[in-house]
Structure formats: C-alpha cells, structure tokens
Amino acid sequence: MAQSEFVLEMLNISKEFPGVKALDQVSLRVRPGTVHALLGENGAGKSTLMKCLFGLYKEDAGEIYLDGQKFAIQSAREAMDKGISMIHQELHVNTHRNVMENIWLGRFPKRRLGPVKLVDERTMYQRTKELFDSLNMDIDPWTKVGDMSVSERQLMEIARAVSYHSKVIIMDEPTSSLTENEVAQLFHIIRDLKQRNVAIIYISHKIEEILRISDEVSILRDGKNVGTWKAEELTEDAIISHMVGRDLVDRFPPRENKPSDEVVLRVEGLTSPIPTSFREVSFELRQGEILGIGGLVGAQRTELIEALFGLRRVAKGKVYLKGQEVKIDSPITAKKLGMALLTEERRSTGIFPVLDVLENIAIANIHDYVKPNRLLDDKARKEDAADSVERLQVRTPGLKTLIQDLSGGNQQKVLLGRWLLTEPDIFLLDEPTRGIDVGAKYEFYTIMMELAKQGKSIIFISSEMPELIGMSDRIMVMCEGRLAGFVSREEATQERIMRLATQFMSA
Amino acid sequence: MKQISVPRVKDFVRMNAIFLVLLILVASIAIIDPRFLSIRPLRDILLQSATRAIIALGIFFIILTGGVDLSAGRMVGLAAVISASMLQSETYLRRFYPDLPQLPLWLPILIAITICFIAGIANGVIVARFGVPPFIATLGMQVAIYGINSIYFDLPPNNSQPIGGLSRAFTNLGTGTIGEGVYSLPYIVIIAAVVAVFAWIIANKTEFGKNVYAIGGNVEAARVSGVNIQKNLIIIYAMAGALYGLAGVLEAARTGGATNNYGTMYELDAIAACVVGGVSATGGIGKISGVLAGVLIFSVINYGLTFINVNPYWQLILKGLIIVSAVAFDIRKYRRRN
C-alpha cells in the first residue's frame, strides 16, 4: 500500500452487543500532526470505537490501518507498543506508587547483578526526567501519584504516551476536571505534540473547547458516521444539530415557571467547621424558583448543599423551612423534611450499579410501600417505578435492566425518578447534566422546568455558564466559600458571573 | 433461529450454573451407584444441610452488604455449650449444674440464642459505629467468643468435660421426625426450611431487605438516599448472631452433646456456600436459592462421594476447585458489558 496521507484509518468498523448495534460501518481517518475531534451524544459510539482501536474490544467487522499497515492487536499493551495511547476519562494509575513507576510499569529498565535482574532506578529516573524536560513539564519523578492533582496526573499520562513514541493519542474528556489555567497548559502541550507530528483524537462534550483546539471534527450519531468537517467550517450550533440530528432552535425549554413570593427555604450565616470551606452564606429560596449556584471549582458549592442535606457538618448558622427553624443532621432528616439531592458524583454516590432500574428507583421512598403486615407492596412499587420511567422517558429495555447498562443521561433520570417518588418540595441538583449528552440535557431541563411549574423549588449547581444562565431565575455566585453576590436572570451574563466568581481571589 | 437460541442457552446456563452443577454432581454419583437416588440418602443430605443452611443464611445478609463474619462458628459453639449445659437429664451423673431443676425446653434455647444475638449486636456496633472492617471486627469476636466459651466450659464442676446426658426432650428436637421410617421428615430440616422461607421473605419482600441490597450495592448512594446505614448493619449482624445461636442449639440437640470446640470453622463452610451460590463477595448481589444450592452442593460432595467410596481427601480437592471456579465464573456473569 502506498504511503497514505492518514496516520490512522479505521474503515467500516461494526460492533454489536446483545441487543444493540453500537457501531455500524463507522469510518475515521486521522491525519498526522492534527487534532481530530470525535463528537457525538452519549451512546453514539465514540467510546466503543476508541475501545476497538485500543484493543479493549474486538470489532465484529471492519479494518484498521496504522501508517498504511494493517493493524490487528489483542491488548491495550500491544496498542501502546505499536504507537496508540489513550488518556482515560477516569485515569487508571496506581496512586500508591511514584510517577516513574507508573510511567515505566511493565517495561522497567533493568540492570544485571550477577544472575539476577534488578530494576534500574537511576536510569528510570534519568529517562523520566528527560521525558518531562522535553515536554516542558515540571514534575518530580519521585512524587507519589496520590499526592498529585488531577491535571498533573493527566500530564503524567501524556508523558507516558509520548514515552511509547505514540503516533496517535486518544484523549477522552481530558478537561472534565481541569481549571481554566490547567486547560490552557494542556492545550499548549497538545500544540507541542502536533509539532512532533503526533495525531490526537480528542473526545469532549465541550463544543466551544473543540472549536478552539481541533483541526478536523468527526461526528457520530446512533453508531453511524454523520460526517467529517474542517473545524473552521463549523459553528457551535451546527455541531449540535449534527449531533442531535435536528436543527436545534432552543437549547433550553421556555421559562414557564412563576416563582411566588413565598420563601420556602431561608439560610442564615451557614458556616462549615472546616475553615477553608463555606462560611457566612445566607440566601432565600422561593416556591417555584430555580436558584442557580455559580462559581469556580473550589468555590465550595457542593459542600454547601451537601451540608444543607445533612451529609456534612455545620458549625454555625440557621436553616428555616417555611419559616420554621430546622436542624438537618442527616439525609434521613432532610428526606423527611421534603428535600432531595442529586449528587455530583453519579457513579460513586448515586446509582446502585449492580441493582436493576426498579430497585434503583424505588429505594428512597421504600418506607411508603410497607404494608401493615410489614411486607412490601410489590405491585405498587413496580407501578410507581414504571410510571417514573414513562414520565421521565427513561430509555431502558425494562425495569429489570441493571442501571449500569444505561447511558449517563438515563441513569440521571432514574435518580431523579427516585427522588420524585419521595414527593419533595426542594430539589438540590449538583451538576446534574455533567457528562450527559446534548439531547438528554434538553430533556433534563424540561423536567426541571416542569417541576418548577408545579411549584417545586430547585437549587441548581452548574459549572456550565450557558445552562446556569439559561435555566436559573436567579444566580447566586460563590467564591472560595463565600457568597460573592446574586445576579438576576435579566442581568445575567457570563462576564458578570465570572467577575463575581473571582471576586475574593488574590491576584 | 439457531443463532438466536445459542446465546439464550448460554444465558440460561450462566444464570443457573449452580443448579446445573448440583444436578451433574447428583447424576454422576447416581450413575456410579444408582442406590444414591433413593429416599434415605436424600433425607440424610437434607439432615446434614439443615444447620449449615441456617448459618449460611445468617452470613448471607452480611456478605450482601459487602461484609463477612468470621465469628459464626464460635457462636455456634457457644450456643451449643450453653444450651446443653442447661438441658441435661436430671438423672445424669455429671451434670453441669448439679442442682438445676429440669427447665422447660424453650428457656435455655432462648438464653443461648439471646446471647449470640447480643454478640451479633456487638459485631454490628463495632462495624457500623466504629468503622472497623468486618473481617477484623469479627475476627476479634471469633477469638473472644472462644475465650468466653472456654471459661464457661471450664467452670467447676464441669472442668472442660464434654457435656453429655442431654434430656430426652432436647435430643428429640435434634433427632426426632414427623412421620416414621424412610418417609419421615426430621424436625431440624423443617426448622431450616422455615428459616429459609423467612429469610427469603425478608430479603425480597421487606423494606429492610431492600436496604440490605442497597447498602451492598453502593453504601454512599444508600446514605444519600436516606437509608440508615448504622441501624441496618447492626440489625443484620444481630440477626445473623441469632441464627448462629439457633444452629448451635440444634447442633447440640442433634449430636447429643457439646464441647467448646463445636462449630470450629463453620463460618468458612457458610461463606463457601454463599459464594458458590452466587453471592458476590463485594456485596449487593445474591439470592437465597443460590445459598441453599451452595449448601446442598457441599453436602452432596460430603455424603455422596463417601457413598461411592471416594477418598475423603479427594473430596477436599473437589470442594476447593468448586469454590474457586464458582467465583471465577460468577465474576464473568456480572462483568460490566460496556
């Protein structure tokens, strides 16, 4: 085969799982020295395609060429040896060991001592140092990975990819937990990698970011190719409509909720026992209102609402529900008082992965189903769960399906359904749309608006400015644990929120 | 059509593997000696399984939460010694309490079960309130309970003599049957069956049962959902303690005696029965039917292989292989698909 203009060609890849055609004749061609963004809603097949490339799945049909050579591998290790690396969404590193051991794991440099081979730490250190220097990264090879920030770990992963002389590096949601500055640093390194003729397959939900960094964009929908474009030919709206498969007129549902004057929740001077956490926070929440909470990572928003829900301790401050002072010391109390919480970490504190949809929905209100004879009313439970699935349009084969087999957006709907059954008055939603795709986001917004219309009150933490502005009646902005100010819906702009969010930060 | 049915057969095999293994085991033994398929061996196997099933059902709930209980066997021993010490026949010469009048059957049984219940509460409190890992907490309890039992067993005038001469009423509980001859059903099999039915109802039909699965499935998510983790864990360990107590009482009644070494390592058999029966050691997954099948498999191996004169050491090897391969198989069954 003649030298191709592409470093990587995946041609007509198909992959089927029981009941789902995850990939249907999908092709992807990537040029060397470019950033190629791969976009699509959750379940569109991005991850599956990348797993086929990285040897984690075996494709049912189709061919892969790397540098014009047929590329057939059995394992991730083989993929890395042949020049393909993947920076995972959830980084797989051994946090108890140091940086260099993580980088060279499986191929430690060795030296002989008589008949035995020992790991040559000095050489390993030397090589690691050179590697970091060449990438302008300032990391000590001896650092224990557990002591490093997420962004440093990511840099380490990139360095590891470079150390394998990777021709193609897959980055799956690399910026999801990075601050602005760290993103800038990452982009700097990506440009450097391009200079070295490395191709990058960049997966992200953040469209604005993709337009900033990528050269070409491929979009998948329902396991099929939609197309490939040069990044400069695309706009944010165009990308979204390609992903969703329809023209997207509005990204947010019409605001039909009418917040009343009645204050349902009043918080006065709430202060955490931890000095660096939230302090002296006071606000009011009205009936039928969606109160957004904006701020940067580290603004202690999650800590604040988890404290409201009784998951964290409070040193000082008062909470009034409908004028009555309450002490919320555990989620059990919060639940009784008509509150519901969707946590930020859906996987670790939300779903019961090995249980089915039914058990995941009907758990927070399980007490309601206890009959006088102490047994559960199974029929009522199933009916309520089926109702929720229907009402929230959860896409699941049935109530018996394990929740871990649903997409992120559908898992989130199940969790919301769980709390709807407890009939709460106040919803605390912590980054509820994080990691779910555009179409599911819109559905989630619609549900939120519907709840507000019914007179439920919602506190809504979001780090995505457009949705914060698009959904909230008022936005409360926090900065380093303190309340920085309120912005009404009419005067909300990204700049204004940003200024408040950085108000107390020393330069 | 064939292509569709192959994965279905695979799925069926996967979900019912334990029962198929049991079936194959019974069939192979029956082929070698057809007499195995008669009432008597069946009855003996059920008899041997009864107390083990009760212990396994107690530990089942603990394993469902992702925990483990190493103190089960020693609690069995404690309950056996306590109940036996108070239920000796009045005419027996070397009585534990020489002047004790004949107590009604239920009283010492209740005392023994209550003591194990309290030890179970202690396990639960140590695990749930003080956050000690279950492995460590119950290891400590295992050692301490043995100490307590041995001190009691060594009290004068007994001085660590095996306790025998149990009252007729008590031994009848362990060896008596409903009906006569080969078609009779032993009381303890009936008791175990009742316990199993209750355990099934608790696991599948009650709020408590759903909470147990939730705690095992994701303890943090359960906390956020407003499940009272501490209370539920304490109930789980206490309930298990009571079941070990019951099993201990029945062991004494069945064998007609007790020593402080009764029940040694029974917890390992119970844990093995659970994991072989598909209860996930990491919690959240498991069925009562699986546990019972797990118990039966080991009884069939014990009894059946002896029945066809297989060297007992080979039985141990087979048991070990079954434990490990069952878990290896199970992990595949629940491995995430995407």
Side-chain angles (χ1 to χ4, degrees):
Chain A
M1 202 172 178
Q3 193 62 28
S4 161
E5 58 178 310
F6 299 107
V7 56
L8 173 75
E9 290 180 277
M10 301 182 79
L11 302 175
N12 302 318
I13 307 286
S14 294
K15 173 80 188 170
E16 204 164 336
F17 294 110
V20 200
K21 193 139 202 189
L23 293 175
D24 187 5
Q25 306 249 340
V26 172
S27 297
L28 180 71
R29 295 184 182 81
V30 182
R31 292 169 212 275
T34 64
V35 175
H36 195 117
L38 185 60
L39 271 164
E41 300 190 71
N42 281 0
K46 298 166 302 201
S47 299
T48 312
L49 187 67
M50 290 303 105
K51 282 179 180 168
C52 288
L53 176 58
F54 199 55
L56 298 173
Y57 289 156
K58 178 90 193 87
E59 62 277 8
D60 299 334
E63 286 171 337
I64 304 176
Y65 294 93
L66 186 68
D67 273 340
Q69 301 282 318
K70 185 126 172 56
F71 181 72
I73 47 149
Q74 305 300 326
S75 69
R77 177 64 208 270
E78 222 181 313
M80 287 167 79
D81 285 338
K82 292 197 171 164
I84 293 186
S85 287
M86 182 141 141
I87 316 288
H88 285 264
Q89 210 165 1
E90 277 135 18
L91 304 172
H92 294 284
V93 290
N94 183 345
T95 51
H96 300 294
R97 310 300 300 175
N98 64 34
V99 169
M100 54 188 199
E101 274 184 45
N102 269 282
I103 290 184
W104 302 103
L105 183 66
R107 48 188 181 130
F108 290 136
K110 308 242 175 52
R111 68 190 163 90
R112 281 193 162 281
L113 190 76
V116 267
K117 275 187 180 171
L118 299 177
V119 172
D120 184 353
E121 286 203 318
R122 197 189 299 171
T123 308
M124 189 156 75
Y125 178 86
Q126 213 56 47
R127 286 191 198 166
T128 316
K129 194 83 191 122
E130 282 162 19
L131 182 65
F132 283 143
D133 286 348
S134 77
L135 289 164
N136 290 319
M137 292 178 188
D138 182 25
I139 298 173
D140 179 2
W142 283 107
T143 318
K144 207 173 91 181
V145 173
D147 296 337
M148 306 202 303
S149 70
V150 177
S151 82
E152 281 176 318
R153 289 183 207 183
Q154 210 162 42
L155 294 180
M156 178 190 88
E157 288 270 302
I158 293 172
R160 170 154 71 178
V162 172
S163 76
Y164 272 97
H165 305 288
S166 298
K167 296 170 187 143
V168 178
I169 300 179
I170 306 161
M171 296 190 181
D172 193 350
E173 295 280 355
T175 61
S176 58
S177 36
L178 301 191
T179 64
E180 281 293 325
N181 278 337
E182 289 165 343
V183 172
Q185 192 190 1
L186 175 70
F187 282 8
H188 190 79
I189 286 169
I190 289 177
R191 291 195 188 97
D192 184 46
L193 292 172
K194 279 170 67 175
Q195 294 289 315
R196 297 164 181 243
N197 222 23
V198 174
I200 292 171
I201 301 178
Y202 192 95
I203 300 176
S204 174
H205 280 105
K206 297 181 183 162
I207 297 167
E208 174 240 324
E209 191 179 288
I210 279 170
L211 289 173
R212 239 165 80 200
I213 191 72
S214 42
D215 302 295
E216 284 182 292
V217 178
S218 286
I219 297 178
L220 301 183
R221 187 196 323 138
D222 299 331
K224 296 194 182 81
N225 281 108
V226 179
T228 298
W229 292 267
K230 291 221 171 306
E232 62 255 29
E233 294 166 2
L234 289 170
T235 63
E236 206 162 319
D237 283 347
I239 289 178
I240 291 174
S241 62
H242 285 310
M243 281 169 64
V244 189
R246 59 184 160 86
D247 281 333
L248 205 77
V249 186
D250 293 306
R251 285 170 65 185
F252 303 101
R255 296 173 191 255
E256 292 166 330
N257 65 321
K258 302 214 166 37
S260 75
D261 288 338
E262 196 194 329
V263 173
V264 287
L265 173 75
R266 194 164 95 237
V267 174
E268 276 180 10
L270 210 64
T271 301
S272 161
I274 303 164
T276 52
S277 192
F278 60 87
R279 53 200 178 276
E280 297 296 339
V281 177
S282 303
F283 66 92
E284 289 178 345
L285 176 69
R286 294 183 176 76
Q287 194 187 16
E289 181 182 40
I290 300 179
L291 173 68
I293 306 186
L296 299 174
V297 174
Q300 306 294 318
R301 297 170 294 169
T302 296
E303 287 75 3
L304 175 71
I305 69 164
E306 289 190 352
L308 275 178
F309 199 69
L311 277 167
R312 288 172 194 264
R313 288 219 277 206
V314 171
K316 209 166 75 162
K318 287 177 177 155
V319 177
Y320 299 86
L321 273 181
K322 297 193 176 122
Q324 292 267 321
E325 188 180 347
V326 289
K327 276 252 167 305
I328 303 173
D329 51 6
S330 81
I332 302 167
T333 323
K335 190 166 81 174
K336 277 192 195 132
L337 292 169
M339 295 168 82
L341 168 69
L342 284 197
T343 56
E344 185 183 11
E345 299 290 336
R346 182 172 59 237
R347 233 173 267 162
S348 59
T349 57
I351 63 169
F352 301 103
V354 296
L355 301 186
D356 62 28
V357 171
L358 168 66
E359 305 296 347
N360 267 283
I361 289 187
I363 181 71
N365 70 326
I366 187 90
H367 192 68
D368 298 346
Y369 301 112
V370 179
K371 295 188 287 190
N373 64 6
R374 311 281 294 154
L375 300 188
L376 290 175
D377 187 344
D378 254 349
K379 202 164 145 258
R381 233 159 61 86
K382 279 187 192 130
E383 279 170 9
D384 282 0
D387 272 358
S388 297
V389 165
E390 167 107 29
R391 182 171 157 205
L392 301 173
Q393 295 178 23
V394 181
R395 271 180 284 280
T396 169
L399 290 178
K400 285 272 156 214
T401 307
L402 298 189
I403 195 167
Q404 64 184 9
D405 294 336
L406 303 187
S407 72
N410 283 306
Q411 290 180 357
Q412 195 68 296
K413 287 189 208 164
V414 169
L415 292 184
L416 190 60
R418 175 192 297 171
W419 286 109
L420 283 176
L421 289 179
T422 67
E423 297 178 352
D425 302 315
I426 299 173
F427 286 85
L428 311 174
L429 310 179
D430 193 355
E431 303 278 6
T433 65
R434 168 180 289 182
I436 70 181
D437 53 63
V438 180
K441 273 185 186 174
Y442 188 85
E443 289 176 33
F444 198 87
Y445 299 145
T446 315
I447 298 166
M448 278 174 67
M449 196 51 80
E450 190 58 38
L451 290 171
K453 258 164 70 183
Q454 292 165 12
K456 311 280 188 196
S457 309
I458 298 174
I459 295 180
F460 168 52
I461 295 184
S462 174
S463 295
E464 284 185 38
M465 293 276 196
E467 77 172 12
L468 199 60
I469 296 170
M471 289 301 296
S472 311
D473 294 304
R474 272 188 313 150
I475 298 164
M476 165 172 136
V477 186
M478 289 179 67
C479 175
E480 300 198 328
R482 286 149 74 187
L483 182 61
F486 289 90
V487 182
S488 74
R489 142 158 69 141
E490 293 75 19
E491 46 188 32
T493 60
Q494 300 210 10
E495 294 70 39
R496 220 183 152 111
I497 295 171
M498 208 47 179
R499 213 172 309 128
L500 284 172
T502 52
Q503 185 169 331
F504 306 125
M505 287 191 178
S506 36
Chain B
M1 287 306 273
K2 259 189 180 161
Q3 278 148 327
I4 299 171
S5 69
V6 168
R8 273 207 195 142
V9 170
K10 263 192 183 165
D11 253 19
F12 179 82
V13 170
R14 211 171 271 171
M15 299 314 285
N16 297 288
I18 175 83
F19 302 101
L20 292 172
V21 170
L22 188 55
L23 208 69
I24 292 168
L25 209 54
V26 170
S28 337
I29 296 169
I31 287 168
I32 296 169
D33 187 344
R35 281 176 301 168
F36 186 64
L37 287 183
S38 49
I39 296 294
R40 209 193 139 81
L42 179 73
R43 193 173 152 275
D44 286 347
I45 284 171
L46 287 180
L47 191 64
Q48 284 194 1
S49 304
T51 45
R52 295 172 193 206
I54 294 171
I55 301 166
L57 289 168
I59 240 171
F60 162 72
F61 286 94
I62 294 173
I63 298 181
L64 263 193
T65 66
V68 72
D69 190 347
L70 299 181
S71 63
R74 290 305 184 189
M75 287 205 212
V76 168
L78 182 64
V81 167
I82 290 173
S83 58
S85 71
M86 296 181 200
L87 281 168
Q88 284 169 304
S89 133
E90 266 183 307
T91 55
Y92 189 63
L93 287 177
R94 293 201 347 258
R95 298 182 76 202
F96 196 95
Y97 295 109
D99 304 320
L100 194 72
Q102 195 74 62
L103 296 173
L105 187 58
W106 60 268
L107 184 61
I109 293 179
L110 187 69
I111 291 171
I113 292 178
T114 307
I115 287 172
C116 291
F117 179 75
I118 290 166
I121 292 178
N123 270 337
V125 169
I126 295 167
V127 170
R129 273 208 82 91
F130 302 126
V132 178
F135 188 92
I136 306 297
T138 60
L139 177 64
M141 186 61 73
Q142 178 196 65
V143 176
I145 291 271
Y146 182 57
I148 292 168
N149 195 8
S150 298
I151 288 173
Y152 181 76
F153 190 62
D154 195 34
L155 289 179
N158 194 59
N159 299 324
S160 293
Q161 294 302 307
I163 301 172
L166 304 187
S167 75
R168 192 66 175 277
F170 190 38
T171 53
N172 188 39
L173 178 72
T175 53
T177 58
I178 290 184
E180 300 257 322
V182 280
Y183 291 101
S184 61
L185 202 50
Y187 291 138
I188 60 172
V189 172
I190 297 170
I191 294 172
V194 170
V195 169
V197 168
F198 267 100
W200 186 87
I201 293 173
I202 288 171
N204 294 293
K205 297 288 166 191
T206 66
E207 175 181 6
F208 169 73
K210 298 296 175 192
N211 286 340
V212 176
Y213 279 98
I215 291 170
N218 182 347
V219 68
E220 285 312 313
R223 196 188 315 280
V224 173
S225 298
V227 174
N228 191 331
I229 314 279
Q230 287 192 3
K231 186 178 108 187
N232 279 293
L233 279 179
I234 292 170
I235 295 174
I236 291 162
Y237 281 90
M239 189 174 80
L243 287 174
Y244 310 148
L246 173 63
V249 169
L250 295 180
E251 276 293 281
R254 186 173 69 89
T255 58
T259 74
N260 59 339
N261 282 317
Y262 262 47
T264 309
M265 306 238 270
Y266 276 23
E267 62 275 352
L268 298 187
D269 284 342
I271 294 166
C274 286
V275 296
V276 166
V279 184
S280 159
T282 48
I285 303 169
K287 291 181 186 165
I288 299 279
S289 58
V291 177
L292 295 180
V295 171
L296 279 176
I297 279 190
F298 288 119
S299 295
V300 167
I301 292 175
N302 273 345
Y303 187 92
L305 297 190
T306 311
F307 195 80
I308 54 172
N309 296 318
V310 175
N311 181 329
Y313 299 130
W314 277 106
Q315 298 179 16
L316 291 178
I317 295 173
L318 184 62
K319 269 186 176 176
L321 282 176
I322 286 184
I323 293 172
V324 176
S325 45
V327 174
F329 191 80
D330 229 50
I331 284 168
R332 293 176 154 267
K333 183 164 81 187
Y334 289 104
R335 185 170 288 166
R336 288 202 52 175
R337 260 156 279 174
N338 44 24

